[in-house]
Amino acid sequence: MSQSKFWKNSTVYQIYPRSFCDSNGDGVGDIPGIISKLDYLKSLGVDVIWLSPVYKSPNDDNGYDISDYKDIHEEFGTMADFDELLAEAKARGIKIIMDLVINHTSDEHEWFERAKAGEEKYKNYYIIKKGKNGKLPNNWGNFFADCPWEPFGDPKNEEYYLHLFSKKQPDLNWYNPEVYREICDIMRFWLDKGVAGFRCDVINVIFKESFADGKKQLALTGKEHYVSTDGCHRILASLRRDVMDNYDAFTVGETVLVNVPMARDLTDVERDELDMVFAFEHMECDQIGVKWFKTKFKPKRLMKCLTKWQTGLDWNTCYFENHDQPRSVTRFTEGGEFRKVGSKMLIGLNFSLRGTPFFYQGQEIGMTNGAFNSLDEIMDIESHNVDKMAKSLGIIQPFRWNLINKTSRDNARTPMQWSAAEGAGFTSGTPWLKIHPNFTEVNVENDLADKDGIIAFFKRMNEFKKSSDVLTCGSFKSLHEGRSVYAFEREYEGEKLIAICNFSTKRAAFPDGIIGERIISNYYGEDKKLRPYEFVLIKPEETKK
Ligand code: NOJ
């Protein structure tokens, strides 16, 4: 028995094209590079690729600022390359979903250029507001530590456009039915080509219900006016009805600042809006307030959060990494001598939860946070903005660097480490972002040559999950949330499996009463105790068949 929707039986692998594989030596990953690695992805058992943006873009935010939704960014290749990628992936039974960035466009998109040139039609594609007595239209904050209002057009008109992200990413005006029609058309363009759906960027902030001042807060003042609004729900339901329903495709929404009830509404089968969401609460369990203030990781907080979301939603994404988050092995384990075993534990955990597992490139070899020495080596706009803002607040440089070094999104964006060759097998040229010097050890070639490699474990878990009704369809129940040990049960038609993880460098006792046959583990042999970062799937005595 498997789930009836293909995306519920799929393992998804996210590719960040810039950093995946460079075929032409310009230091930037590209589509032909991805094509050259399709056999590798097939061998991992990947069913769906989520492709971060490959559209035309001036690259202010690495492709999340799109200047043409129907064309390919020249650094990545051509539309012919994309079509070949789709065909080659299909030939291997792999589907592709695109990143759909529709909260904003690039300021170099034709729509914005025409708006700037004074065409009323296109001005109405964006959120342009009058200032108030020489002041900004409201007191909102910005996701990239910037001011969200930028002067628009002739200064004597005192007009500003809204950008919740960089100033090169003006927000679209979703009050305008023309915008809706344009986006439907873009979605159909890609679906007609054969893509299997979309990861929808910051989708739950697209509709601003009001532009009134927000309640003052540390970050994102004003968010109560745009997070998961009724208008957003209406648009998502319409997009489903008008576009998605005509294709065998799915959507996964990147939904910022959502809680369980909000996510439940967004994925409610009756409401029919999104299929799954990426929520962030479990990515926040090592921070105080905002993400830049990291605290010591307490495994119990993560466990509680996972349990809350597993039980709160019938089905959702399961993930520990993406291109915006620090690497999971650095974040949730001690790394070092535990890097391999810790990476395997997190992979085992991700496959054992109920939902669709998503993995990010490099996670299957235990890639770690980047090794940057200073801000000069960081490319990400968000990190640079945060540095500027922190400086303006009088925060001294070593302190600022400490925050950025731990949290910068570039930690996950360092080039994929394919081999120990110069350029890590990623490029023959100068990489756009510094390659982690551990590439001589941590790379795909080495890992594949190791029968106990992380990839071997990934494949085993993936195959097992697909063959197991319990892991694919079973219910979830938490059994134990200790200081370092997490245990939960999956159950399907009376058959059970128990997953146990030890989030510690120390040995730990098995939770009381859990005995049974070891099905899969990241260690060999039996032991009375759980070993450091041990992951084990157990078939409990009572249900052994
Ligand atoms: C979320 C994306 O994951 C991130 O990389 C991007 O900067 C913002 N949305 C803005 O598009």
Side-chain angles (χ1 to χ4, degrees), residues 61 64 101 104 144 165 169 199 201-202 254 323-324 409 413:
D61 184 21
Y64 283 88
V101 187
H104 43 264
F144 283 174
F165 295 87
Q169 292 167 303
R199 175 268 188 186
D201 191 67
V202 292
E254 186 207 25
H323 63 294
D324 294 331
R409 305 190 297 181
R413 298 176 179 185

Side-chain angles (χ1 to χ4, degrees), residues 3-53:
Q3 295 276 4
S4 56
K5 312 253 189 216
F6 78 84
W7 45 269
K8 289 194 170 181
N9 300 313
S10 296
T11 296
V12 188
Y13 185 97
Q14 182 192 352
I15 291 183
Y16 196 66
R18 256 192 123 58
S19 300
F20 191 62
C21 181
D22 170 19
S23 72
N24 60 1
D26 66 357
V28 173
D30 47 44
I31 294 175
I34 300 175
I35 297 173
S36 73
K37 299 296 181 187
L38 285 173
D39 286 333
Y40 166 72
L41 297 178
K42 179 75 192 157
S43 77
L44 293 180
V46 167
D47 306 290
V48 177
I49 293 170
W50 152 22
L51 204 58
S52 276

Side-chain angles (χ1 to χ4, degrees), residues 90-104:
K90 187 171 178 197
R92 291 165 178 81
I94 299 176
K95 297 178 193 288
I96 294 185
I97 64 167
M98 305 291 280
D99 222 304
L100 186 69
V101 187
I102 54 177
N103 175 66
H104 43 264

Side-chain angles (χ1 to χ4, degrees), residues 282 297 299 302-303 306-307 310 318-320 328 332 341-355 357 359 363 457 461 465 471 476 484 486-488 490 499-503 520 522 533-537:
H282 70 301
F297 167 58
L302 178 66
M303 298 169 202
L306 290 176
T307 297
Q310 283 280 297
C318 303
Y319 79 97
F320 291 113
S328 61
F332 301 134
V341 77
S343 299
K344 289 181 191 172
M345 182 194 72
L346 291 165
I347 287 168
L349 171 60
N350 207 37
F351 273 122
S352 302
L353 293 165
R354 178 177 164 87
F359 293 90
Q363 199 178 344
F457 182 77
M461 271 310 301
K465 171 145 193 161
L471 287 195
F476 171 96
S484 72
Y486 189 33
F488 57 86
R490 305 288 315 277
I500 312 179
C501 301
N502 177 18
F503 278 88
I520 291 190
N522 54 355
Y533 297 109
E534 179 156 1
F535 165 83
V536 60
L537 255 189

